[in-house]
Amino acid sequence: MKEKEKKEIFDVTIIGGGTTGLFAAFYCGMRGLTTKVLEGSSFLGGKVAQFYPEKNIYDVGGLPVVSGTDLVEQMKKQAVLHDPEILLNQYVEAIQQVEGKGFEITTQQGDAHYSKTILLTTGFGTYNPVPLEHKDAKEFEETSIHYMMGDLRRFKDKHVAIYSNQRAGVDWALSLGEVAKHVYLFCTEEQFQHVVEADLEKVQQSKNIDLVYDATIGELQGERGSLNGITIISKGASSSYSVDDMLVYQGVKMIPAPFSDWQLEAEKGRLIVDQGMATSVPGIFAAGDGVQYDKKSMLIATGYSEVITALNSLAKYIDPKAPAQVYSTVEYRYKK
Ligand SMILES: Cc1cc2nc3c(=O)[nH]c(=O)nc-3n(C[C@H](O)[C@H](O)[C@H](O)COP(=O)(O)OP(=O)(O)OC[C@H]3O[C@@H](n4cnc5c(N)ncnc54)[C@H](O)[C@@H]3O)c2cc1C
């Protein structure tokens, strides 16, 4: 652990940089609150970025259709409008109340952050992909071997291998089939798990996708982190393929957000909140998939609405004279 440093005390620290946390980063600015965002992983956008960046989303108001990637990109632009401090790879482990400072928030990386209040937007927690077990995998990870698809456009005109026995592998192959030069879908078993048959048929009919069952990786070839070939063993025969990138999906391991360690009242891993989105600890508010109440829906737009309620409550917690709500048309009346 690094030595703890004394840092600026922010009005709000948002824990979790998914869609709910990103919208909150913007809305804190609307409420005139100094803001820090701590995201445990190396990317923003939470479940949208991790699980369905290539899918179209149709139920966000004002956007008839938007891809996961484009929604997250737009949200990032909105989030930085008021210049919040956004830190990645800051997985929060401990939250402690500190006399006169509000809260001390300590991360796995050993950093300490100070904040008058906290907004929890952690969802259910963090999802870590199951890594590829191969002696040479580490050499190519983050350059040529990927565990998330991310922005589809980075695979344009490339030869891409997908190594998976899950439905996500089939989904990725169909999306990549539209942009990549060629796709090799290597199923690690004799069949895919939980696959949608109509999607599998599309894969089988695609001229741009080769499908190989019962596949095991033999050799990974390349230099300085850059993959250029792969040997696959299937049904006793070994074949070589030229590939630029490989996507691996073998499931994810969920690390639940440690709400009970933070002395917060929760039920089945989700936070209990009041109508103002306040948790059981004064000064800590919550929004998004990580909260539970009667008739709660777990949708992107629900998180936005909960953020507004939570931050209006939080603004009043810091300053009881703060207005109950604000209008962007008034706040930004001179902005073009
Ligand atoms: C396959 C799928 C399809 C979906 N389709 C739709 C749809 O069409 N429309 C729709 O509205 N919704 C859809 N949803 C639901 C939607 O994705 C969620 O409601 C939304 O992503 C919730 O956002 P969130 O920010 O609350 O949580 P998350 O996206 O889970 O973000 C939480 C963030 O907090 C971080 N975090 C967790 N713990 C810590 C910690 N201790 N320290 C620091 N950071 C931490 C995580 O790394 C993550 O980035 C879908 C969900 C799935 C899985």
Side-chain angles (χ1 to χ4, degrees), residues 200-214:
L200 189 56
E201 274 169 33
K202 276 193 199 160
V203 164
Q204 286 159 340
Q205 283 158 13
S206 168
K207 289 196 176 67
N208 205 23
I209 306 171
D210 285 357
L211 174 56
V212 179
Y213 284 102
D214 227 351

Side-chain angles (χ1 to χ4, degrees), residues 16 19-20 39-40 47 52 59 91-92 122 126 289 298-300:
T19 48
T20 308
E39 166 55 48
K47 287 200 277 288
Y52 56 104
D59 52 356
Y91 184 82
V92 173
T122 57
T126 303
D289 274 10
M298 282 193 282
L299 292 167
I300 296 161

